[in-house]
């Protein structure tokens, strides 16, 4: 249970995105005052002159790098933001990171170096990647998910669990300072199995087609993704999906004292909300 939510103001970056929107909701439900930070509220990662207004007077911040945290620019940006947050009085920072992503380590280190109490939440692949964003859009529109995920298994995590872990870290006093929970779902599923569960929940024929990483890169380029970004994503997926993450972790149980939500519940609820209506 929250120890110190009263009069606590938390800046939630990425507040219009998949992770940040759920963290904002969970934080409000826990009694925190949320300051939503995205371009809609005048905060821009690319413009340091917009940072102070959102940070001034805040006690804590949840940091979401707007593109993958393994991006070469992430450590510099997150480190500078963390330093500014601490200089303006924030005492606690929670960073969204990725499980098994070695390239995320410099960004994690940069946040640790800020001097704040920090927690690094290393999330598995989001279940909501199947219901929100570009992959989801392709699945909904074409009925097919084309991805270089092979037959590798991943414990897809429901972002509501990620949000609950983040809020536990924000409200726990000293308990979770310095923690690096790996947050995942309770079951290992291949991408094919995940799409099959979604098809069952959506009452619609949906399929998964595994493609080699290089072919996927060429597809991205065909969709207009700049060459450097496509290459980065191909290398990222190849490393994350090489089998290193085909295991369960205990972050949800350790921080929340309960089991993670199951993928089947995610699929049923997202289907009911119309996520895969053709
Ligand atoms: N996807 C996964 O499975 C997974 C797993 C583990 C970790 N992660 C990490 O999660 C992060 C992405 O989170 P997400 O999926 O929630 O992101 P998302 O849904 O793509 O949302 C991105 C957020 O960033 C904001 N944003 C983008 N550009 C901005 C700018 N210049 N200034 C201010 N805000 C900006 C967007 O707000 P506006 O556009 O409204 O301004 C939006 O709120 C990445 O760092 C990734 O490494 C992802």
């Amino acid at each position: 249970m929250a120890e110190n939510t009263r009069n606590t103001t938390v800046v939630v970056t990425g507040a219009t995105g998949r992770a940040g929107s759920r963290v904002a909701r969970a934080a409000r439900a826990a009694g925190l005052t949320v300051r939503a930070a995205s371009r809609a509220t005048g905060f821009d990662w690319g413009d340091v002159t917009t940072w102070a207004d959102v940070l001034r007077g805040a006690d804590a911040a949840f940091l979401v790098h707007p593109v993958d945290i393994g991006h070469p620019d992430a450590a510099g940006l997150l480190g500078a933001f963390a330093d500014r947050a601490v200089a303006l009085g924030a005492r606690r920072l929670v960073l969204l990171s990725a499980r098994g992503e070695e390239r995320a380590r410099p960004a994690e280190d940069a946040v640790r170096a800020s001097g704040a109490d920090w927690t690094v939440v290393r999330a598995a692949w989001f279940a909501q990647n199947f219901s929100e964003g570009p992959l989801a859009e392709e699945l909904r529109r074409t009925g097919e998910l084309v991805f270089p995920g092979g037959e590798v298994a991943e414990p897809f995590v429901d972002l509501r669990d990620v949000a609950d872990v983040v809020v536990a870290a924000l409200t726990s006093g000293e308990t979770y300072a310095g923690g690096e929970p790996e947050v995942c779902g309770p079951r290992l599923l291949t991408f094919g199995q995940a799409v099959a569960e979604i098809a069952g929940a959506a009452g619609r024929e949906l399929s998964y087609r595994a493609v080699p990483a290089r072919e996927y890169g060429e597809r991205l380029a065909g969709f207009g993704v700049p060459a450097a970004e496509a290459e980065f994503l191909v290398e990222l997926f190849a490393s994350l999906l090489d089998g290193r993450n085909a295991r369960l972790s205990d972050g949800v149980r350790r921080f929340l004292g309960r089991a993670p939500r199951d993928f089947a519940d995610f699929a049923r609820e997202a289907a009911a909300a119309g996520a895969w209506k053709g």
Side-chain angles (χ1 to χ4, degrees):
M1 201 54 215
E3 291 170 20
N4 59 348
T5 57
R6 191 170 291 181
N7 300 327
T8 297
T9 296
V10 58
V11 172
V12 175
T13 61
T16 53
R18 285 170 290 207
S21 61
R22 288 166 174 96
V23 166
R25 200 173 306 142
R28 286 193 185 100
L32 296 167
T33 300
V34 169
R35 205 176 278 170
S38 70
R39 285 170 291 191
T41 57
F43 167 74
D44 191 336
W45 281 109
D47 180 359
V48 294
T49 66
T50 65
W51 295 4
D53 278 352
V54 79
L55 286 170
R56 200 170 285 114
D59 306 289
F62 172 58
L63 278 59
V64 180
H65 191 250
V67 296
D68 192 88
I69 188 165
H71 189 279
D73 294 342
L77 197 63
L78 290 168
F81 184 80
D83 289 348
R84 181 67 66 87
V86 170
L88 289 169
R91 295 181 314 280
R92 176 167 291 260
L93 302 178
V94 179
L95 172 67
L96 176 62
S97 188
R99 206 176 73 127
E101 187 172 344
E102 286 310 314
R103 276 180 280 198
R105 302 304 166 244
E108 296 178 352
D109 290 344
V111 172
R112 285 190 193 97
S114 66
D117 286 343
W118 55 265
T119 306
V120 172
V121 175
R122 292 178 176 159
W125 195 275
F126 303 160
Q128 279 80 3
N129 291 338
F130 292 99
S131 59
E132 296 166 35
L135 283 182
E137 177 54 25
E138 181 180 39
L139 182 60
R140 189 193 61 72
R141 197 170 43 77
T142 67
E144 185 181 55
L145 181 70
V146 181
F147 198 67
E151 289 301 310
V152 78
E154 168 74 20
F156 302 102
V157 66
D158 190 314
L159 273 169
R160 291 172 296 180
D161 284 341
V162 175
D164 288 347
V165 167
V166 168
V167 170
L170 286 168
T171 57
S172 70
E174 296 302 305
T175 313
Y176 296 130
E180 295 164 351
E182 291 194 341
V183 178
C184 69
R187 273 192 298 151
L188 288 164
L189 292 169
T190 65
F191 282 78
Q193 289 168 333
V195 171
E197 291 209 9
I198 289 168
R204 185 185 160 191
E205 251 183 56
L206 299 168
S207 60
Y208 165 61
R209 178 156 61 93
V211 289
R214 282 288 141 214
E215 188 179 327
Y216 187 68
E218 286 158 14
R219 270 178 71 85
L220 290 178
F223 293 142
V225 176
E229 194 182 323
E231 192 175 335
F232 172 79
L233 289 173
V234 164
E235 285 176 15
L236 173 72
F237 294 148
S239 66
L240 287 179
L241 300 171
D242 66 359
R244 76 183 65 187
N245 284 323
R247 60 186 173 80
L248 300 177
S249 311
D250 68 349
V252 171
R253 188 164 289 287
R254 198 149 52 82
F255 271 48
L256 304 175
R258 62 163 174 80
R261 292 173 168 89
D262 194 82
F263 191 83
D265 298 327
F266 152 75
R268 194 184 57 252
E269 291 168 36
W276 301 290
K277 282 220 167 81

